[in-house]
Amino acid sequence: LQASTNRLNLLIEKLLDYNALLQQAEPSFEDIESQKIVHECLTQNGLALKQSGCEVELNVHEDAEEISTDAELFRRILDNLISNAIAHGSQQTKIYISIAIDTNSVILDVANHGNEISAEARTNIFEPFKRGDFMRNDRVIGAGLGLSIVADCSRLLGGTVTIVDVNYAEVCFRIKLPRKDA
């Protein structure tokens, strides 16, 4: 009964947080230090990273050290993708985070080792309450909101999220946000 109550409380909190996100009117753009926000998210996920035995390889390209975005929305994207990589990726492996700039976009990649996401799952994985096919590495039962929050934050920032194939990891989420300084 206690476990069910805790689970219900968690779901209610996640749903309220998700609803608050959807009600956000306009992003507030500012210049942020991208490496600083990544390190803040890694600190918040420090215990889970330690328990999983995962190391993070961070690559912030020189021209992406400072980006113009909404700090809170960008932090939510990062936090959800890092949490997902820890919960669903292989333990004792690397999580790769890369932030780069191209002509028109800020590109954030978060990649990890683990089970590939099937073509069928890719069609609806960013919808609320959809969860992947594989078990989590922790005892938490996910609400299926993490990736939908990533998609909604990306959309609020005028960008997109996709799953891309890379040669260094089995799973890679790519966020492309329009450059405000371009």
Side-chain angles (χ1 to χ4, degrees):
L1 187 59
Q2 183 66 36
S4 294
T5 302
N6 290 340
R7 170 84 178 123
L8 186 56
N9 282 336
L10 175 66
L11 288 173
I12 290 169
E13 286 175 22
K14 293 271 187 188
L15 191 55
L16 290 172
D17 186 46
Y18 182 66
N19 189 43
L21 172 66
L22 293 178
Q23 301 303 317
Q24 181 169 339
E26 289 292 319
S28 175
F29 290 92
E30 61 184 295
D31 290 338
I32 61 164
E33 295 176 40
S34 52
Q35 203 161 352
K36 181 179 176 186
I37 286 198
V38 172
H39 285 296
E40 289 171 2
C41 288
L42 293 175
T43 299
Q44 289 173 341
N45 288 283
L47 181 58
L49 278 166
K50 186 175 181 178
Q51 289 174 338
S52 71
C54 289
E55 290 182 28
V56 175
E57 184 176 304
L58 175 60
N59 182 13
V60 177
H61 294 230
E62 187 176 316
D63 55 353
E65 290 175 358
E66 191 171 276
I67 59 175
S68 180
T69 191
D70 181 297
E72 183 57 32
L73 292 174
F74 194 77
R75 186 177 284 110
R76 283 182 185 224
I77 290 170
L78 267 171
D79 186 53
N80 278 290
L81 290 177
I82 292 168
S83 299
N84 233 40
I86 295 167
H88 296 284
S90 296
Q91 296 189 346
Q92 309 290 324
T93 59
K94 282 190 179 179
I95 296 171
Y96 306 90
I97 301 173
S98 170
I99 303 174
I101 301 281
D102 72 7
T103 306
N104 299 315
S105 304
V106 174
I107 301 168
L108 166 67
D109 282 357
V110 178
N112 62 277
H113 296 284
N115 296 311
E116 290 184 38
I117 300 171
S118 69
E120 182 180 324
R122 290 181 187 203
T123 62
N124 66 1
I125 200 162
F126 296 107
E127 294 177 19
F129 308 109
K130 298 293 182 184
R131 295 189 296 201
D133 301 329
F134 300 101
M135 295 288 294
R136 291 173 61 105
N137 295 326
D138 51 21
R139 287 187 231 139
V140 176
I141 300 172
L145 290 174
L147 291 177
S148 63
I149 289 172
V150 169
D152 287 331
C153 288
S154 299
R155 180 184 47 76
L156 285 168
L157 292 170
T160 60
V161 58
T162 55
I163 301 169
V164 296
D165 295 322
V166 293
N167 62 1
Y168 57 90
E170 290 78 25
V171 178
C172 181
F173 291 95
R174 176 165 292 160
I175 312 301
K176 285 186 90 168
L177 305 174
R179 286 180 59 184
K180 296 300 176 190
D181 59 346

